[in-house]
Amino acid sequence: MMIHLAMATGFLLILIGFYGALSNRNLLRMIVAFTIADSGVNLVIVAIGYMPGRTAPILDATVKAGDAAARVIDPVPQALVLTAIVIGVGVTALMLAYAYKLYEKKRSLDIAKFTELRG
Amino acid sequence: MSLLLTAMTLVLCIAMIVAAFVAILGKSLPIAILAAGLVSLVASVLFVILASPDVAMTEAAIGSGLSTFLFFFVLGRVRGGERDGEDEPGSEHG
Amino acid sequence: MVKRLLALLLLAAIGGIFTTLVLGYMPDAELNNTARYYADHTAADIGSANLVTAIVITYRGLDTLGEVTVLFLAAAILGLVLARGRRQVQARRELTPVGELLTTGSRVLVPLIMLLGVYVFVNGHLTPGGGFQGGAVIASGVLLLLLTDPLRQFAHTLIAAVESLAGVFYVAIGLMGLFLAGGFLDNRFLPIGTLGALFSAGAIPIIYTLIGLKVGAEFSVMLSDLSDTEAL
């Protein structure tokens, strides 16, 4: 139940992010929408790794090394999401830098004003 | 216990979706950026419930902390462009 | 209007796919083979209490090296793109002085934040956290310094030196694993020690410390690059 709830929220966030990126014309707001879609993707992947009734993949006094396979959740999706978040902020920073440069050129953040590449 | 966790998940999910809609549809850009940061912050709480403390720490420190500040640095530089594409007459937006 | 309709149509299609995915999803009752291998063998092979750290640093260490490289590239491109926007900083901005609270508060808080960052990445193999989280915490300390004094000139050469030295040592440790142990980035050329001790898990604490320094330096460069730009 919890998994489906989290997963549905993640997918919904992806859709909201896409909608925001498609329907807004302000560059900064499009980047905000992309970060929201990013959070949604991360949420979906983490939800896939979760298993009901198990704990975090960290061995300690209560989760012994011997019975770890029966007690912990899947650590692989977490490692993937760890990477995804860090890369995500790098990509966001790049998009912001380009948005700044475009603003420097045109004094505007409206993508409708950037017509050089229009056929 | 499980019921409590499910209820918490439900509340957090609703909060995330509301914050996401504020970020996409709200009129003011600073509030949109803060709302996007809020989505990340609530997501990190949800990651703790989903038994992923590593991911939760990363999301809280990087996704919600640093990237919000990156946005505000740029927003502070382009203050004039804040309203672009929002209140233009005859645009098909909105 | 047509555009808007097309966008909504596209979203409806994607939403349909997502709905079938959610409704058809059944969580596994058992770990799959890969995860089971990691859960069974990490304690004996790697000696790291945190399975995620074991995967990130050792089993998939090459991915992490690539990830750090991507982050470095992002920081470098950011610097390149914004380079022309960075001119004489002192001349142009008259800033309102920041408050007493921020100045004094940052003097108290910055050392503590840095200490927390170091704690997080040194303990990456025992507790949740690690190089990326610790690096981000350190960068937020730098951010506090930037907020206190936006005109502050950071020692860019120092940050660059930390960043590149950490990268070089990271690759060097990977090569030591290749020659002294089983393969590139193998952590077992140092003793594995007892599970749960600070000095255990072979080279993992060292690698995560290097990653923490590198990531912290990269995020700091990104923040100070973006904050050095000119207000338009």
Side-chain angles (χ1 to χ4, degrees):
Chain A
M1 183 59 211
M2 244 168 73
I3 301 178
H4 289 88
L5 207 58
M7 200 183 271
T9 311
F11 280 133
L12 205 56
L13 285 181
I14 298 176
L15 286 179
I16 295 173
F18 280 173
Y19 175 74
L22 286 172
S23 68
N24 277 303
R25 305 200 311 170
N26 185 320
L27 274 176
L28 276 184
R29 204 174 270 257
M30 290 169 82
I31 302 174
V32 169
F34 272 116
T35 61
I36 288 175
D38 206 16
S39 302
V41 174
N42 295 337
L43 191 53
V44 170
I45 300 180
V46 169
I48 287 174
Y50 183 71
M51 296 157 135
R54 296 189 175 213
T55 97
I58 294 173
L59 310 173
D60 55 14
T62 51
V63 183
K64 294 280 191 291
D67 61 346
R71 296 284 313 277
V72 300
I73 66 171
D74 193 344
V76 181
Q78 297 192 24
L80 291 179
V81 173
L82 209 68
T83 311
I85 292 174
V86 176
I87 299 294
V89 80
V91 171
T92 306
L94 270 186
M95 287 197 281
L96 284 171
Y98 282 114
Y100 173 81
K101 287 310 266 192
L102 287 174
Y103 182 82
E104 201 182 27
K105 270 247 156 36
K106 293 262 167 160
R107 303 280 150 169
S108 163
L109 285 174
D110 189 351
I111 46 163
K113 297 219 171 80
F114 295 98
T115 50
E116 282 87 354
L117 286 177
R118 205 170 263 177
Chain B
M1 188 62 194
S2 176
L3 191 70
L4 185 70
L5 280 184
T6 311
M8 262 179 87
T9 313
L10 187 65
V11 171
L12 293 174
C13 288
I14 292 171
M16 280 173 80
I17 291 168
V18 171
F21 272 117
V22 169
I24 297 300
L25 302 174
K27 278 288 161 229
S28 130
L29 198 43
I31 289 179
I33 293 172
L34 284 179
L38 192 65
V39 172
S40 280
L41 202 61
V42 179
S44 75
V45 179
L46 196 52
F47 289 148
V48 174
I49 293 180
L50 291 175
S52 324
D54 278 282
V55 181
M57 278 185 79
T58 320
E59 182 81 36
I62 298 176
S64 114
L66 283 183
S67 67
T68 307
F69 267 99
L70 290 176
F71 273 111
F72 271 113
F73 274 135
V74 172
L75 183 64
R77 301 293 177 265
V78 297
R79 208 167 281 124
E82 195 177 311
R83 299 221 145 270
D84 271 354
E86 303 232 329
D87 48 3
E88 258 179 291
S91 75
E92 64 182 33
H93 178 88
Chain C
M1 221 45 233
V2 177
K3 252 192 204 163
R4 166 75 42 113
L5 207 65
L6 274 178
L8 283 178
L9 216 63
L10 179 68
L11 288 181
I14 301 176
I17 298 173
F18 285 171
T19 315
T20 42
L21 280 178
V22 171
L23 292 182
Y25 180 75
M26 284 303 293
D28 297 340
E30 289 289 312
L31 289 180
N32 56 36
N33 285 337
T34 321
R36 178 188 299 278
Y37 179 86
Y38 291 149
D40 282 338
H41 293 80
T42 296
D45 283 358
I46 310 290
S48 159
N50 188 342
L51 301 189
V52 179
T53 299
I55 293 175
V56 166
I57 296 300
T58 309
Y59 286 121
R60 313 238 166 145
L62 205 59
D63 290 8
T64 307
L65 186 58
E67 174 185 2
V68 175
T69 314
V70 168
L71 205 59
F72 165 72
L73 276 178
I77 296 173
L78 199 76
L80 192 70
V81 167
L82 296 178
R84 246 168 11 102
R86 208 183 309 142
R87 281 169 220 140
Q88 285 309 312
V89 188
Q90 273 82 356
R92 55 178 175 79
R93 280 196 240 162
E94 319 81 36
L95 292 160
T96 48
V98 295
E100 184 68 24
L101 194 62
L102 191 54
T103 330
T104 317
S106 85
R107 237 173 259 151
V108 178
L109 282 179
V110 166
L112 289 177
I113 292 177
M114 297 285 178
L115 196 64
L116 176 69
V118 172
Y119 175 84
V120 166
F121 63 63
V122 166
N123 281 294
H125 57 304
L126 305 176
T127 54
F132 297 103
Q133 295 91 331
V137 171
I138 285 184
S140 54
V142 172
L143 175 68
L144 192 54
L145 287 176
L146 268 177
L147 290 180
T148 323
D149 180 8
L151 300 182
R152 176 193 299 269
Q153 292 296 308
F154 284 103
H156 278 286
T157 45
L158 176 72
I159 296 184
V162 168
E163 209 258 319
S164 14
L165 280 181
V168 168
F169 280 123
Y170 185 14
V171 176
I173 284 180
L175 288 175
M176 276 165 78
L178 184 60
F179 291 124
L180 303 175
F184 190 65
L185 284 172
D186 196 330
N187 67 328
R188 284 172 295 182
F189 65 89
L190 290 176
I192 282 182
T194 49
L195 186 74
L198 180 58
F199 294 103
S200 66
I204 285 186
I206 303 173
I207 296 177
Y208 240 174
T209 304
L210 291 174
I211 291 181
L213 290 175
K214 195 166 162 58
V215 169
E218 273 155 2
F219 280 139
S220 306
V221 167
M222 279 187 194
L223 284 168
S224 76
D225 273 351
L226 271 176
S227 115
D228 271 0
T229 49
E230 209 165 347
L232 293 171

